[in-house]
Amino acid sequence: MERVFSGAQPTGNLHLGNYLGAIRNWVALQKDFECIFCVVDMHAITVWQDPKELRSNIRELAASMIASGIDPEKHVLFNQSQVSAHAELAWIFNCVARIGWLNRMTQFKEKAGKHRENASLGLYAYPSLMAADILTYKATHVPVGEDQKQHLELARDIALKFNNDYEVEGFFPQPEPLILGPATRVMSLRDGSKKMSKSDPSEMARINMTDDADTLSKKIRKAKTDPEPLPSEAAGLEGRPEAKNLITIFAALTNSTVDKVLSEHGGTQFSGFKQALTDVVVTKLAPITEEMARLNNDNAYIDAVLAKGAERANAIAQPILRDVKETVGFLNS
Ligand code: TYM
């Protein structure tokens, strides 16, 4: 049985990195897999969130997933904290995962910064909850951007150690990361060495899915580039991370490849290319942005979708959690 699971944090606007690296691929996978998509609010509070904002961010993220093409009728779309199996399995995994494994997580090091002692325990245990998200459904495939690869490796290690420790070979599958398409790591518009991120203090560094045409045009016009024209071959992008990023975004949005984009635009100046890129971004994002705005006015609909999704997710998770509890030696009620 093949099953896709993935999630995104409701910590602010969805940006083009989330869309190209993950959500667009989720939409495509709906054709061939049974899919479960999750708004991971429990992951979000590993860093303090304003409660009122969190509540509205949860609804907005669900709305943007639907606006991007997630079908909540055919597949399951829900909010993590509304299905208690995630928290329950995460605790069991906290007792399976080793401190040494978590010490290696680069995202924790980045997010905790210099003052690691002040980071929440939840931020440290973040990957263990992520493993629980996936394995509470015995999901086999996990479409993510490149930045989540290390967390996925940890989920595989936890699954294997659980199976070994309790002598239940094959109980949990080894979930496979699906890192798809040309834009698996979209970079900041201001600095080609940093990934595009919700937490970047500069709004100019990212393209938000809610940006209007004027804002998009301004951000792309001001995006950092170098003075050279576009090269005609991918090898010419070596050492030019900002140029590479803009061309990769263009390729991803036009369902093309970097080579093809360069064969068409090689030799032109960035000013002209940026105009072409703006046209592509505006055309591709406008229908999604419009639908997001419409859904954001309909909290009742979003709440109903999430309630139904939680019910369906719970129905899949409960029998698996029951088996886990039995395996570990807990009393099942
Ligand atoms: P999050 O909310 O940071 O991001 C959601 C998805 O977007 C991808 N992504 C990117 N892809 C390309 N370029 C970028 N600049 C970029 N930024 C983000 C992420 O890789 C991700 O796929 N820990 C996860 C959420 C999570 C999860 C899970 C994912 C929780 N449980 C279980 C899969 C399975 C996260 O913080 O994603």
Side-chain angles (χ1 to χ4, degrees):
M1 169 81 209
E2 299 200 314
R3 181 178 279 155
V4 160
F5 180 95
S6 201
Q9 295 194 67
T11 44
N13 281 323
L14 212 60
H15 56 68
L16 193 65
N18 300 130
Y19 179 67
L20 293 178
I23 295 180
R24 200 172 71 142
N25 298 326
W26 304 0
V27 172
L29 289 164
Q30 293 181 114
K31 202 158 54 64
D32 300 316
F33 289 88
E34 175 199 354
C35 299
I36 305 177
F37 298 120
C38 186
V39 175
V40 293
D41 55 347
M42 286 158 63
H43 277 107
I45 62 161
T46 56
V47 174
W48 190 83
Q49 304 291 320
D50 177 82
K52 219 165 134 223
E53 266 175 40
L54 178 62
R55 203 164 291 123
S56 94
N57 282 339
I58 292 169
R59 292 190 176 114
E60 270 181 33
L61 180 55
S64 43
M65 288 179 185
I66 298 169
S68 304
I70 298 300
D71 181 345
E73 296 293 325
K74 291 208 184 98
H75 300 274
V76 178
L77 171 61
F78 76 107
N79 180 34
Q80 190 183 33
S81 65
Q82 292 179 290
V83 178
S84 61
H86 294 248
E88 293 182 69
L89 188 58
W91 179 257
I92 295 171
F93 283 173
N94 282 346
C95 302
V96 172
R98 303 292 93 181
I99 290 176
W101 299 357
L102 289 152
N103 281 343
R104 286 198 287 273
M105 295 297 110
T106 53
Q107 189 167 300
F108 174 74
K109 289 181 200 163
E110 276 165 28
K111 282 202 176 172
K114 279 194 200 120
H115 305 288
R116 234 180 259 186
E117 298 73 20
N118 289 337
S120 75
L121 187 53
L123 188 66
Y124 188 67
Y126 182 113
S128 173
L129 175 60
M130 193 163 149
D133 295 339
I134 300 162
L135 294 167
T136 203
Y137 306 97
K138 294 193 175 175
T140 52
H141 294 80
V142 186
V144 284
E146 215 172 86
D147 61 336
Q148 295 301 315
K149 203 169 157 204
Q150 196 185 31
H151 288 160
L152 258 293
E153 279 158 15
L154 192 86
R156 292 165 67 93
D157 289 344
I158 290 178
L160 196 63
K161 184 160 172 17
F162 180 94
N163 292 351
N164 287 338
D165 286 357
Y166 291 101
E167 298 180 359
V168 282
E169 205 192 323
F171 178 80
F172 282 125
Q174 285 278 284
E176 232 182 84
L178 296 177
I179 299 174
L180 305 168
T184 56
R185 189 173 173 83
V186 177
M187 308 310 278
S188 153
L189 298 182
R190 308 298 303 163
D191 177 351
S193 68
K194 280 198 334 207
K195 73 171 181 183
M196 187 177 285
S197 152
K198 288 176 209 160
S199 54
D200 195 312
S202 167
E203 268 297 316
M204 296 300 284
R206 69 185 153 260
I207 290 178
N208 294 316
M209 299 298 285
T210 45
D211 285 343
D212 59 26
D214 287 346
T215 311
L216 291 173
S217 165
K218 185 168 151 211
K219 285 183 178 177
I220 295 171
R221 207 172 50 244
K222 300 217 158 174
K224 187 175 168 200
T225 41
D226 53 50
E228 300 299 315
L230 275 75
S232 332
E233 289 175 359
L237 289 171
E238 220 27 62
R240 301 176 65 186
E242 287 86 10
K244 185 173 173 200
N245 189 38
L246 295 185
I247 291 156
T248 305
I249 293 173
F250 191 100
L253 283 173
T254 53
N255 297 317
S256 182
T257 61
V258 166
D259 285 325
K260 268 199 214 141
V261 175
L262 290 180
S263 71
E264 282 159 25
H265 294 269
T268 61
Q269 292 298 326
F270 265 97
S271 50
F273 179 73
K274 281 179 168 180
Q275 187 51 53
L277 179 61
T278 303
D279 293 343
V280 167
V281 174
V282 170
T283 314
K284 295 283 171 180
L285 296 196
I288 301 177
T289 311
E290 265 171 44
E291 182 62 1
M292 270 164 68
R294 193 184 70 76
L295 291 171
N296 281 335
N297 283 323
D298 197 350
N299 282 353
Y301 168 72
I302 298 295
D303 289 357
V305 164
L306 293 177
K308 183 88 196 125
E311 209 178 287
R312 290 164 67 197
N314 200 42
I316 304 171
Q318 276 311 321
I320 295 173
L321 187 65
R322 222 186 141 73
D323 287 351
V324 171
K325 288 182 177 174
E326 187 68 34
T327 301
V328 169
F330 291 172
L331 294 177
N332 261 314
S333 46

